Amino acid sequence: MIRRLKPPAMDSPPHPLRIANFRAYWAARFAMTLAQNGMIIVIGWQTYTIARQTMSPAGAAAQLGLIGLLQFVPLFLSTPITGWVADRFDRRWIARCTVSLQILCAFILAMATFEGWMTLPVLFSVAILLGLGRAFAGPAFSALAPNLVPREVLPTAIALSSISWQVGTIIGPAVGGFAYSFAPSAAYFLATGLFGIALVCMMLIGPVPRTTRISTAHPLRQIADGLAYVGQNKMILGTITLDLFAVFLAGTSALLPIYAHDILKVGPKGLSALAAAPAAGASITALFFSFRPLRTNVGPKMLGAVLVYGSATVLFGLSTWMPLSLAALAVAGSADMFSVYIRQSLIQLYTPDDKRGRVGAVSQLTISASNELGEAESGFLASALGPVGAVLVGGGGAIVVTILWTFLFPSIRNARTFDPPTTQQDAADIEMEAAR
C-alpha cells in the first residue's frame, strides 16, 4: 500500500495581537477612546449642573444641546480636509499630534475644576478644541489599522479595532462618572493620564507600509473622489447612513444627567451606574465576538441589532424604575456593539487603502453627527417635549429608519459574509438577487 504524503502545511499568518505594531495601536486607541468618552459624560454633567444654578430645566437642557453642537461644528467643517490628510501623510504622526492636543484639553479641564474656575465658557471653548482634535484623529486611526497587519488577518484586526473603540465608547462614561463621584477633578486627571498612555503607545509604532496608489490629482479633486466613492458604493452608503439616523435619533447619553437628576433622582452615583449599564452589555458582546467571530448573515444581523437598539431605547424612556432603566440600557449597549462590529468591518473591507482616510472621514462625520449632533438634537428636543418624549420619539424613529433601510439598501440585507464582491458581475448578481 502506497502512502500519500500530505503537502507541508503553510504557515498561518499571526494573530493581530501577536504583531507589536498592532498591539501598540490597539492599546492607544482603547486608552484614547476611554479618555474621550469619560470626559464627555463629565462635561455634560458639569454643563447641566452649572446651568441649573441660573436656568430652568428646559434652559439647562438646551445648554447640553449646545455643548454637543460645539463639538460637531469643527468636525463638520474640517471633514473634507481631514480625510485627504489621512490619505496623503503619515497616519502615525497625525494620530500623535491629535492625542497631544487632547492631553492639553483634559489638563485644562482638570485644573479648572480643581482650582474652582470652571465656567460654561471654559467648557464650550474646550469642546471646540476637542471636536477639532477628534476630526483629524478619526480618519487617521481608522485608516491606520489595515496598514499594520497582513491582508489575511485584516477582518480579525478590524473586529478587534472596532471592539476597542466600541468598548471604550461604552465603558468610558462609566469610568469618568465613577472618577467624578470621588472627586470632580479626578475624572479629568484620569483622562489626561489615559491620553498620555495613548501617546506613548503611538510612539512605539514603527514604520508601516502604505499603498503606492497615491493620486496626483488636485487635492480638491481627490476630496471629491473620496466623497463620490461613498455615494457609489451602496453597501458603504447604506451602513454609514443607517448608523447616522438610528443613533442620531435614539442616542440617550446627553439626557442621562437629566434622568439621574430629575426623573430617577439617583444623583452622580446613579448617573455612573446608568453610564455603566451600556458598558456591561457591550462588554459581554465584545467578549463573545473575541471567541466566536461573526461569519454568516452579517447584514440581516446588523439590521436586527439596530431594531433591538431602538426598542431598548423606548423601554428606557418609559421606565421610572432604576433596575429596569439599567436593564434597558444594557440591552441597548449590547445591540449597539453588535451593530458597530459589523458596520466597521464592512466599511473597511469594502474600501481600498488609498481611499480609507477619506471614507473614514465621512464615516466619522456620520458617527459624530449621530453622537455630538445627536446630543444637540436630544437636548433641544428634551427642551421642547421633555426628556421622556425626546427618548420615545428617538427610539421609535430608529425603528422606522431600520425598516426603511431594509428595503432601500438590499445589498445590506443580502450580505451573508464580510467579503466584498470580487468582481462587478458579483455585485450585479447581488443586486439582481435582491430585486427578485
Side-chain angles (χ1 to χ4, degrees), residues 117-163:
W117 46 273
M118 177 65 76
T119 62
L120 288 179
V122 171
L123 288 166
F124 293 156
S125 299
V126 172
I128 293 172
L129 288 177
L130 286 172
L132 186 62
R134 291 171 64 185
F136 282 89
F141 268 90
S142 64
L144 180 59
N147 301 142
L148 303 176
V149 298
R151 169 71 190 182
E152 294 80 5
V153 295
L154 180 56
T156 303
I158 291 172
L160 290 169
S161 179
S162 298
I163 288 171

Side-chain angles (χ1 to χ4, degrees), residues 24-39:
Y25 164 86
W26 193 95
R29 192 173 197 198
F30 180 69
M32 184 185 72
T33 307
L34 205 62
Q36 287 176 340
N37 291 278
M39 288 173 58

